Amino acid sequence: MKIIARDIPPRAAWALEQAGVHPLLARLYAARGVRAKDELDDGLGRLLPPGGDQGLKGIDAAARLLADAMAQNQRLIIVADYDCDGATACAVGVRGLRLLGAQHVDYLVPDRVTDGYGLTASIARRVAERGADVLITVDNGIASVDGVAEAKALGLQVLVTDHHLPGPELPAADAIVNPNQPGCPFESKSMAGVGVMFYVLLALRAELRARGVFDAASQPKLDPLLTLVALGTVADVVKLDANNRRLVAQGLKRIRAGQMPAGIAALFHAAGRKAPVATTFDFGFALGPRINAAGRLADMTLGIECLLTDDAGRAAELAATLDGINRERRDIESGMREQAMLMAESLFDESEEPPPAISVFDPDFHEGVVGIVASRIKDKLHRPTFVFAASSAPGKEHELKGSGRSIPGFHLRDALDLVAKRHPGVILKFGGHAMAAGCTVAEESFDVFEQAFAQVAQEWLDAATLTRRIETDGPLAPEYCRADIVDTLHREVWGQGFAPPTFSEEVQIVSQRLVGEAKNHLSLKLIHQGSPVDAIWFGHTEQLPARVLLAFRLDVNEWKGERKVQFLVEGAQL
């Protein structure tokens, strides 16, 4: 492991500080590319506009399509995805369309096991059977060429809203809104599916205004939906560029002020988190996993209904159910992770480096949890990793469904594309992003996939990329080692592409012991800049030398009313 301090441009840090930004925040922001204070303005007025020369391609056509459908009182059905981004995008779509006056809005969410991902031909038929006139996809559809063709053949109008990378052929939809489609000038290519749907609603409201349905004073407010947009954006681990940070900041402000749907309030309660001091961590590690668990092990309808209900009692019931499913998910994941890790570690000797890429499969693996397990192996071994499970779908028993996670410098979807081209027929279907992707292979093709995937990794990855690196913000001045400073940091918007503050320093270890039920966490007492500090390294069991360079984040430990700073160790350079 290599701990590397980020470059902090002194002029930018100085300019931010002179503009009134807290000196520590000025340093952190400058290291993340912020050059001027106005870039930190998270007001709604600073959001990128939906339309115009630099707007989302296809958004005006989408707004007209929806406005026409509403004028004719047509039935709209949203086809969602079974993860948190898909669930929040669906809830935003249903709530937003109803707010804007749509009388007939419903949704359908595919089953992870029986339907697979995206708008398939069978899903299109189901939508048609339910009497829909317009089919709207959220967080999927850009690769659904056959599904869209079937929907069109059945007489449906189709609006695709998505953010995934398109394949070689675009679906023949009536309108497509996706910042990553060819020819789209929209600056924020990292918007999540829920953000795209929110933008479609902004454009629809403008179209309805232009048609005289309402004016600027009487138009419905869409900003209450930003709580859902924030949750889905963080949970989908998309890059928090300036526009996404504004969307998330707006959602967090409303949650902290107590302005949120009943389901989000209930999820905070079920997770034991406090909404008045909500953070992006709550979205990514408390609420998001509880919604995702429904799509992994049960039916994402539970998650969507939790986000749609305005009945606090019903929301509490659904949140408790989701919490229970998440506990079950954790139990399944724990056993699978142990087994998968043993399989991964059996691929190399203890004295050797792991292979450039890792693929594992076991007939007993649960397909709903393969992505999480792949992420855990990737985190431990720092290698692109795929974990496969046998498909549970009827008639697909000989297919394996895999989920992959990658490391910086290795584009997972592009790697799958190359494997598919070199070995036609081995990958039955695939899709995804740079850091996360999925694919389906025939069981008899697993060995070929494993070798081909490792071969691509061998060609693309060098020693530097294969060395785990932790980027930090350098030393922490002792005057900032205070609980109120930690609170200040936690209130900011951090996440993918705008990393949470991590510091690094050589410290003296005074004592260390293993804690937790399984004795799998290292509790430390150390001396930092002459002062004693408690620290914990979750999931780490090896003892540290008396002096060591640590990378750590800041947290506050509350005990009997006393709030003390605690270091959360991220890594050590020995």
Side-chain angles (χ1 to χ4, degrees):
M1 174 174 298
K2 203 166 184 184
I3 294 174
I4 298 160
R6 290 186 182 89
D7 180 42
I8 301 169
R11 280 189 181 181
W14 181 84
L16 290 168
E17 202 174 326
Q18 292 299 303
V21 177
H22 186 285
L24 178 58
L25 283 174
R27 188 179 123 199
L28 297 171
Y29 284 140
R32 285 154 182 77
V34 176
R35 294 291 173 266
K37 189 181 180 183
D38 71 326
E39 293 176 49
L40 301 172
D41 180 354
D42 57 23
L44 286 173
R46 291 299 305 273
L47 286 174
L48 295 171
D53 291 345
Q54 297 302 308
L56 282 155
K57 180 182 178 182
I59 202 163
D60 294 335
R64 287 192 297 271
L65 185 157
L66 292 172
D68 289 346
M70 287 163 60
Q72 295 162 38
N73 217 17
Q74 291 185 331
R75 294 185 65 84
L76 313 173
I77 290 189
I78 294 172
V79 175
D81 185 26
Y82 39 67
D83 68 357
C84 187
D85 185 19
T88 50
C90 182
V92 162
V94 172
R95 283 182 173 276
L97 288 165
R98 288 174 181 168
L99 270 173
L100 293 172
Q103 297 298 306
H104 306 289
V105 187
D106 203 354
Y107 71 91
L108 184 155
V109 59
D111 182 275
R112 181 187 289 267
V113 173
T114 56
D115 297 312
Y117 172 76
L119 172 62
T120 59
S122 62
I123 293 283
R125 289 191 288 273
R126 240 185 284 170
V127 171
E129 285 161 12
R130 283 168 59 169
D133 301 295
V134 179
L135 185 159
I136 305 162
T137 71
V138 291
D139 191 32
N140 75 90
I142 197 67
S144 303
V145 174
D146 294 342
V148 170
E150 181 70 8
K152 294 296 293 174
L154 292 165
L156 296 171
Q157 285 190 287
V158 181
L159 163 59
V160 168
T161 77
D162 201 352
H163 69 123
H164 294 92
L165 297 171
E169 183 185 353
L170 291 180
D174 294 276
I176 296 175
V177 185
N178 180 340
N180 290 302
Q181 69 175 307
C184 181
F186 194 69
E187 186 185 324
S188 178
K189 301 297 182 187
S190 302
M191 206 155 47
V194 66
V196 176
M197 188 62 219
F198 179 72
Y199 262 69
V200 168
L201 294 171
L202 292 176
L204 172 59
R205 186 175 66 176
E207 176 68 19
L208 293 172
R209 248 191 346 259
R211 294 184 184 201
V213 176
F214 34 64
D215 58 25
S218 65
Q219 68 181 10
K221 288 188 178 300
L222 295 175
D223 50 297
L225 300 174
L226 285 162
T227 54
L228 296 165
V229 176
L231 169 57
T233 298
V234 174
D236 212 44
V237 203
V238 293
K239 181 184 176 186
L240 292 187
D241 59 19
N243 207 58
N244 279 339
R245 287 204 313 281
R246 288 181 183 117
L247 291 170
V248 173
Q250 287 289 331
L252 277 174
K253 281 181 181 176
R254 284 163 176 75
I255 288 172
R256 289 168 185 163
Q259 302 161 4
M260 68 195 108
I264 286 190
L267 284 166
F268 267 97
H269 180 75
R273 310 294 295 181
K274 297 173 183 173
V277 288
T279 67
T280 49
F281 181 89
D282 294 320
F283 290 156
F285 295 93
L287 276 66
R290 282 166 173 79
I291 293 172
N292 276 328
R296 294 184 188 285
L297 301 188
D299 178 358
M300 186 45 96
T301 303
L302 291 166
I304 295 170
E305 284 300 311
C306 184
L307 300 176
L308 283 177
T309 185
D310 291 317
D311 180 319
R314 173 83 175 129
E317 281 175 24
L318 287 163
T321 301
L322 292 169
D323 187 58
I325 296 169
N326 192 50
R327 290 175 198 276
E328 183 189 351
R329 186 271 305 167
R330 280 202 295 250
D331 289 343
I332 292 170
E333 180 205 329
S334 176
M336 258 179 74
R337 186 177 65 229
E338 211 170 291
Q339 174 67 10
M341 198 67 78
L342 286 170
M343 294 170 74
E345 289 174 342
S346 73
L347 299 173
F348 59 98
D349 292 335
E350 219 172 284
S351 58
E352 298 176 334
E353 284 289 305
I358 288 166
S359 304
V360 295
F361 158 65
D362 188 283
D364 294 329
F365 283 172
H366 191 296
E367 65 182 276
V369 188
V370 286
I372 303 175
V373 174
S375 185
R376 302 289 189 259
I377 295 175
K378 180 268 299 181
D379 287 345
K380 184 170 182 187
L381 300 180
H382 194 66
R383 294 294 186 269
T385 300
F386 260 94
V387 177
F388 286 86
S391 174
S392 313
K396 306 274 188 178
E397 291 81 3
H398 298 297
E399 291 183 2
L400 306 183
K401 290 171 105 170
S403 189
R405 298 294 183 269
S406 195
I407 60 175
F410 188 80
H411 196 298
L412 208 51
R413 187 197 170 278
D414 287 357
L416 290 178
D417 189 40
L418 186 54
V419 171
K421 284 170 179 163
R422 287 179 174 177
H423 302 271
V426 165
I427 299 180
L428 303 176
K429 57 182 176 182
F430 70 92
H433 300 289
M435 302 305 284
C439 69
T440 303
V441 303
E443 187 169 348
E444 64 268 20
S445 301
F446 173 75
D447 291 342
V448 178
F449 172 86
E450 181 181 21
Q451 290 163 16
F453 182 54
Q455 179 62 37
V456 173
Q458 180 80 50
E459 294 166 13
W460 287 6
L461 295 169
D462 57 19
T465 318
L466 289 170
T467 301
R468 186 195 306 274
R469 294 153 59 98
I470 295 184
E471 280 199 331
T472 77
D473 297 291
L476 176 71
E479 64 265 28
Y480 297 140
C481 204
R482 305 195 318 259
D484 63 311
I485 294 289
V486 180
D487 293 340
T488 298
L489 294 180
H490 282 181
R491 278 193 294 271
E492 301 303 307
V493 174
W494 313 104
Q496 182 71 23
F498 205 79
T502 303
F503 303 96
S504 56
E505 245 167 303
E506 188 174 285
V507 297
Q508 180 187 338
I509 307 292
V510 177
S511 67
Q512 49 191 318
R513 63 192 177 92
L514 294 176
V515 296
E517 276 183 39
K519 301 288 183 195
N520 59 339
H521 309 308
L522 188 62
S523 175
L524 302 159
K525 291 192 181 298
L526 47 87
I527 301 295
H528 166 261
Q529 302 252 11
S531 300
V533 179
D534 289 341
I536 189 157
W537 191 347
F538 291 111
H540 186 86
T541 55
E542 293 165 27
Q543 297 283 296
L544 295 174
R547 292 198 71 83
V548 64
L549 177 64
L550 286 187
F552 57 90
R553 290 186 293 114
L554 299 179
D555 198 18
V556 174
N557 195 16
E558 297 191 34
W559 177 250
K560 294 184 177 177
E562 189 182 2
R563 304 179 78 236
K564 288 174 65 178
V565 172
Q566 173 180 249
F567 290 176
L568 302 179
V569 180
E570 296 282 299
Q573 187 171 306
L574 304 174

